[in-house]
């Protein structure tokens, strides 16, 4: 007989008097079965012979014979139950942290249920009476727990089955009568559901807070990463600047020393030349003095008189009284060198400031695409609407209000009416172009006057290398190099439009004090084709932070 069948038929083999498996089972005429010794003792202790179950009265004590079939079945059941118990006794013991059965002898098995009535925990084997015995089936079973005493009222020794909402505590059924009069009570199950709902809400709130915290942590990590990257760029910039300054100081120092040494060499050469000249005169003077002395010692009257006139007339000599070695002044040389260094450092600082400023405004980069509905019929746009150049053939396009009809101009699709925006345009290889921003309401028909008064803030290139800012009159710009990529920055509220040489990280020109009251659009004039000499496209390029 299998374990499952034993459990399913166990009630059929229990004596309702001793609640144990039948021993020598007998059957009464009313259809109930008992152990022979149990029913005999029961009737011996009572005056009347009454069935313990249905209360049927036997007026004469019936003669009881053992039910052989039931006895055999009970024996088989008992043997099967013993085998099952033996098998279960071989099961592994309860692991650390698991609740142990209170009735296992020897190896303690894992308890699967706890009884609040018995204040004990049971493994699967020792739990069976609570599942089958009539007097035990009314006991309250719960999932196995430790410290069952904590689930009992310490004062009344009864299970905690109610929740006192007034005192916010668990109580037994006697507490409301004696200790919690006029309090509000609900069953534990009801309060459990309420508290469970609150816990679920609390979990949801905590999950939300956890997500916000994770986002904040991620934000801080990203901020720290950006800070590290910014610090790295600043360190690189600083190293580059200070290395350049060191080189400049060394170069200026070398030039200073070279100049001083050259001055000193010139002075020394002048002195040497004068000394040589003086030494040459000295040699002549000594020879003449020797000749005079020799003539002075002559006793030949005629020779002395004949030689006197030639020797007495002195050869022409240089007047050395006013001759001085020119002492070159070195005063102010260090000051001059320092002034040159200061000027150089000032230029480097300005370059660095412009580079930092360009990097700052590049964070306001926007995606700009060209609007073919505004393009002059000579203009040819790329499929991605990022490039434009002027062709030689005028396309047949509808002359709608948005389209320029005389000037080869195209506007961007994107317009801006607040805040800051920045975009970059590649103009490499071109001999003529205009870049600007314009009011959405600006004139588009006929000849366009590209001046702030008409709503056009323009930087232009003419004749290969003539850069101008379009004001009245135009302002010519002297640039160290020809820009190949131009950055355009607009601060709507500040009324500022600035143009930058992206590769040189240098400011080209700024329109300041502008008054913007309408939407602004990026504007592009790639210039006439000029028989292919200006056929390179103007390209709206992706913004990458300048190094």
């Amino acid at each position: 007989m299998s374990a499952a069948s034993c459990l399913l038929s166990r009630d059929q083999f229990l004596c309702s008097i001793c609640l144990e498996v039948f021993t020598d089972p007998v059957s009464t005429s009313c259809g109930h079965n008992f152990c022979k010794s149990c029913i005999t003792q029961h009737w011996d202790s009572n005056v009347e012979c009454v069935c313990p179950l249905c209360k049927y009265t036997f007026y004469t004590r019936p003669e009881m014979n053992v039910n052989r079939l039931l006895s055999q079945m009970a024996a088989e059941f008992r043997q099967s139950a013993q085998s099952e118990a033996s098998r279960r006794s071989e099961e592994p013991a309860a692991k650390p942290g698991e609740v142990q059965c209170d009735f296992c002898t020897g190896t303690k098995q894992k308890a699967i249920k706890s009884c609040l009535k018995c204040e004990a925990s049971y493994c699967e084997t020792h739990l069976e009476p609570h599942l089958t015995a009539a007097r035990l089936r009314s006991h309250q079973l719960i999932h196995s727990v430790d410290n069952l005493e904590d689930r009992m009222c310490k004062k009344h020794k009864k299970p905690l089955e109610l929740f006192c909402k007034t005192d916010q505590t668990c109580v037994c059924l006697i507490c409301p009568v004696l200790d919690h009069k006029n309090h509000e009570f609900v069953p534990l199950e009801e309060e459990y559901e309420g508290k469970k709902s609150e816990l679920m809400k609390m979990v949801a709130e905590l999950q939300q807070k956890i997500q916000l915290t994770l986002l904040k942590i991620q934000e801080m990590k990203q901020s720290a990463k950006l800070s590290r990257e910014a610090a790295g760029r600043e360190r690189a910039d600083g190293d580059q600047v200070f290395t350049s300054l060191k080189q400049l100081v060394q170069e200026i120092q070398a030039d200073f020393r070279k100049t001083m040494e050259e001055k000193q060499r010139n002075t020394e050469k002048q002195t040497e030349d004068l000394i040589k000249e003086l030494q040459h005169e000295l040699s002549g003077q000594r020879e003449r003095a020797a000749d005079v002395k020799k003539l002075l010692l002559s006793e030949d009257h005629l020779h002395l008189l004949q030689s006197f006139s030639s020797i007495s007339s002195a050869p022409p000599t240089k007047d050395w009284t006013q001759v001085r070695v020119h002492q070159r002044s070195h005063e102010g040389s260090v000051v001059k060198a320092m002034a040159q260094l200061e000027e150089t450092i000032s230029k480097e600082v300005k370059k660095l400031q412009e580079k930092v400023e360009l990097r700052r405004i590049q964070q306001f980069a926007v995606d700009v695409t060209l609007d073919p509905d505004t393009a002059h019929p000579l203009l040819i746009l790329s499929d991605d609407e990022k490039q434009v150049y002027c062709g030689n053939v005028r396309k047949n396009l509808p002359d709608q209000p948005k389209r320029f009809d005389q000037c080869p101009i195209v506007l961007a699709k994107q317009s801006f009416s607040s805040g800051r925006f920045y975009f970059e345009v590649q103009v490499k290889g071109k001999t003529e172009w205009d870049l600007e921003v314009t009011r959405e309401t600006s004139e588009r028909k006929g000849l366009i006057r590209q001046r702030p008064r008409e709503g056009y803030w323009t930087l232009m290139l003419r004749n290969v290398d003539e850069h101008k800012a379009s004001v009245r009159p135009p302002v010519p710009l002297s640039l160290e190099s020809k820009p190949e990529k131009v950055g355009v920055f607009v601060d709507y509220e500040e009324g500022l439009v600035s143009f930058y040489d992206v590769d040189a990280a240098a400011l080209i020109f700024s329109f300041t004090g502008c008054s913007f009251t309408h939407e602004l659009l990026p504007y592009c004039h790639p210039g006439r084709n000029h028989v292919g000499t200006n056929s390179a496209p103007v390209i709206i390029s992706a913004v990458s932070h300048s190094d």
Side-chain angles (χ1 to χ4, degrees):
M1 188 180 296
S2 66
S5 62
C6 287
L7 290 175
L8 291 174
S9 60
R10 183 179 178 84
D11 288 347
Q12 304 174 29
F13 302 105
L14 293 182
C15 171
S16 57
I17 296 176
C18 69
L19 299 178
E20 298 292 341
V21 179
F22 291 125
T23 301
D24 296 331
V26 295
S27 302
T28 63
S29 58
C30 58
H32 297 112
N33 302 310
F34 306 96
C35 295
K36 184 175 182 180
S37 58
C38 292
I39 191 64
T40 300
Q41 293 175 6
H42 178 72
W43 282 342
D44 287 344
S45 60
N46 291 280
V47 177
E48 296 180 336
C49 294
V50 178
C51 177
L53 292 177
C54 65
K55 305 304 179 182
Y56 179 81
T57 302
F58 298 96
Y59 296 102
T60 58
R61 186 168 180 166
E63 184 178 348
M64 307 301 294
N65 295 316
V66 175
N67 187 328
R68 302 298 178 186
L69 177 60
L70 185 58
S71 177
Q72 182 180 357
M73 293 176 65
E76 291 179 358
F77 175 82
R78 186 179 292 106
Q79 182 179 1
S80 177
Q82 289 174 351
S83 298
E84 182 68 16
S86 176
R87 182 188 65 79
R88 290 174 180 171
S89 65
E90 296 175 357
E91 293 180 354
K95 298 178 182 178
E98 295 179 340
V99 180
Q100 297 180 348
C101 175
D102 292 324
F103 291 88
C104 285
T105 57
T107 302
K108 294 285 187 178
Q109 295 187 17
K110 177 184 176 182
I112 59 173
K113 293 289 183 181
S114 296
C115 177
L116 295 179
K117 182 72 173 177
C118 302
E119 297 186 36
S121 297
Y122 301 90
C123 65
E124 186 176 358
T125 300
H126 292 106
L127 181 65
E128 288 186 11
H130 277 76
L131 301 176
T132 57
R135 61 185 179 85
L136 298 178
R137 279 185 290 188
S138 61
H139 291 193
Q140 185 176 354
L141 297 176
I142 61 173
H143 289 294
S144 58
V145 294
D146 283 323
N147 303 323
L148 275 170
E149 60 274 10
D150 293 340
R151 296 177 176 268
M152 306 295 291
C153 178
K154 299 188 184 309
K155 186 172 184 180
H156 305 116
K157 305 302 180 184
K158 298 292 182 181
L160 300 173
E161 301 181 49
L162 298 176
F163 184 78
C164 177
K165 298 180 75 68
T166 305
D167 292 341
Q168 292 292 299
T169 186
C170 299
V171 297
C172 67
L173 294 174
I174 300 176
C175 289
V177 180
L178 301 178
D179 303 317
H180 295 259
K181 293 180 180 180
N182 301 321
H183 288 189
E184 182 181 358
F185 300 93
V186 294
L188 288 182
E189 294 80 0
E190 181 179 333
E191 187 65 19
Y192 166 84
E193 293 298 332
K195 289 294 189 287
K196 188 174 181 181
S197 177
E198 291 182 19
L199 289 174
M200 291 176 65
K201 182 179 179 182
M202 189 183 300
V203 167
E205 292 175 351
L206 287 172
Q207 288 295 338
Q208 185 177 7
K209 290 181 178 179
I210 289 171
Q211 291 301 319
L212 291 175
T213 303
L214 289 173
L215 288 175
K216 179 57 69 174
I217 291 173
Q218 189 64 29
E219 177 186 330
M220 290 183 175
K221 287 182 178 179
Q222 182 65 15
S223 177
K225 178 183 177 183
L226 294 176
S227 177
R228 285 194 299 272
E229 292 174 351
R233 289 194 297 269
E234 288 297 319
R235 282 194 297 270
D237 290 343
D239 291 343
Q240 182 179 356
V241 169
F242 288 117
T243 300
S244 299
L245 289 178
K246 288 178 183 178
Q247 293 175 349
L248 288 171
V249 170
Q250 291 171 352
E251 291 173 1
I252 292 174
Q253 183 182 21
D255 289 342
F256 172 74
R257 287 180 174 177
K258 182 178 179 181
T259 301
M260 296 295 295
E261 290 172 357
E262 186 175 348
K263 286 182 178 181
Q264 183 61 29
R265 281 196 301 271
N266 292 336
T267 301
E268 290 179 357
K269 187 176 183 306
Q270 180 189 13
T271 303
E272 289 174 359
D273 292 344
L274 291 174
I275 290 174
K276 285 181 180 179
E277 189 176 350
L278 284 170
Q279 287 177 340
H280 179 71
E281 272 196 35
L282 179 62
S283 177
Q285 290 170 353
R286 285 176 174 170
E287 289 178 2
R288 186 166 178 270
D291 291 340
V292 171
K293 287 181 179 181
K294 183 178 179 181
L295 185 61
L296 181 63
L297 295 175
S298 175
E299 294 181 357
D300 186 344
H301 303 93
L302 180 62
H303 173 69
L304 186 147
L305 292 174
Q306 289 177 339
S307 301
F308 179 82
S309 60
S310 61
I311 202 169
S312 62
S313 57
T317 59
K318 185 176 182 179
D319 184 8
W320 290 93
T321 58
Q322 300 299 322
V323 176
R324 297 285 186 276
V325 175
H326 180 65
Q327 298 291 332
R328 296 182 180 270
S329 175
H330 299 296
E331 293 182 4
S333 298
V334 175
V335 174
K336 183 178 178 181
M338 291 301 296
Q340 181 184 353
L341 178 61
E342 183 179 1
E343 181 182 356
T344 304
I345 291 176
S346 178
K347 289 180 180 179
E348 290 298 318
V349 170
K350 183 180 179 182
K351 288 181 180 179
L352 179 59
Q353 288 173 338
E354 290 179 348
K355 186 175 183 179
V356 171
E357 176 65 13
L358 178 58
R359 183 180 294 155
R360 183 188 68 82
I361 66 176
Q362 282 177 328
Q363 66 180 309
F364 300 105
V366 295
D367 185 24
V368 173
T369 52
L370 301 173
D371 185 358
D373 292 337
T374 66
H376 184 276
L378 279 175
L379 297 182
I380 300 174
L381 274 66
S382 61
D383 292 338
D384 63 358
E385 299 175 344
K386 294 283 189 178
Q387 302 184 28
V388 60
Y389 67 95
C390 188
N392 294 315
V393 179
R394 186 183 181 99
K395 297 190 291 293
N396 185 18
L397 299 175
D399 187 19
Q400 53 192 8
K402 294 171 60 177
R403 191 180 306 281
F404 290 87
D405 63 348
Q406 290 196 29
C407 294
I409 295 171
V410 61
L411 300 182
K413 291 181 178 179
Q414 295 75 20
S415 62
F416 306 90
S417 58
S418 64
R420 304 166 183 171
F421 65 92
Y422 173 85
F423 62 97
E424 292 180 353
V425 183
Q426 180 177 308
V427 293
K428 182 179 180 181
K430 297 194 66 62
T431 61
E432 179 179 303
W433 49 258
D434 294 354
L435 296 178
E436 60 191 78
V437 292
T438 183
R439 288 196 297 256
E440 193 275 336
T441 58
S442 297
E443 184 61 46
R444 306 188 187 187
K445 305 299 182 183
L447 294 176
I448 305 300
R449 295 183 177 180
Q450 297 170 298
R451 297 179 300 197
R453 183 175 178 180
E454 279 73 34
Y456 290 90
W457 292 268
T458 310
L459 179 72
M460 61 177 63
L461 169 68
R462 295 290 184 270
N463 302 322
V464 182
D465 58 1
E466 294 180 7
H467 296 86
K468 300 177 182 179
S470 184
V471 293
R472 189 174 182 182
V475 176
L477 303 173
S478 178
L479 305 181
E480 292 184 3
S481 61
K482 182 179 179 180
E484 294 187 348
K485 184 182 290 185
V486 177
V488 184
F489 173 67
V490 177
D491 188 327
Y492 195 97
E493 282 72 24
E494 289 294 326
L496 174 68
V497 180
S498 296
F499 298 89
Y500 289 84
D501 181 340
V502 176
D503 296 324
L507 177 66
I508 299 174
F509 186 81
S510 287
F511 294 92
T512 59
C514 308
S515 179
F516 301 135
T517 57
H518 299 82
E519 291 187 352
L520 299 178
L521 295 94
Y523 163 114
C524 182
H525 183 325
R528 300 283 180 176
N529 188 282
H530 296 308
V531 197
T533 60
N534 191 41
S535 61
V538 168
I539 304 173
I540 308 295
S541 57
V543 175
S544 59
H545 289 290
S546 59
D547 296 328

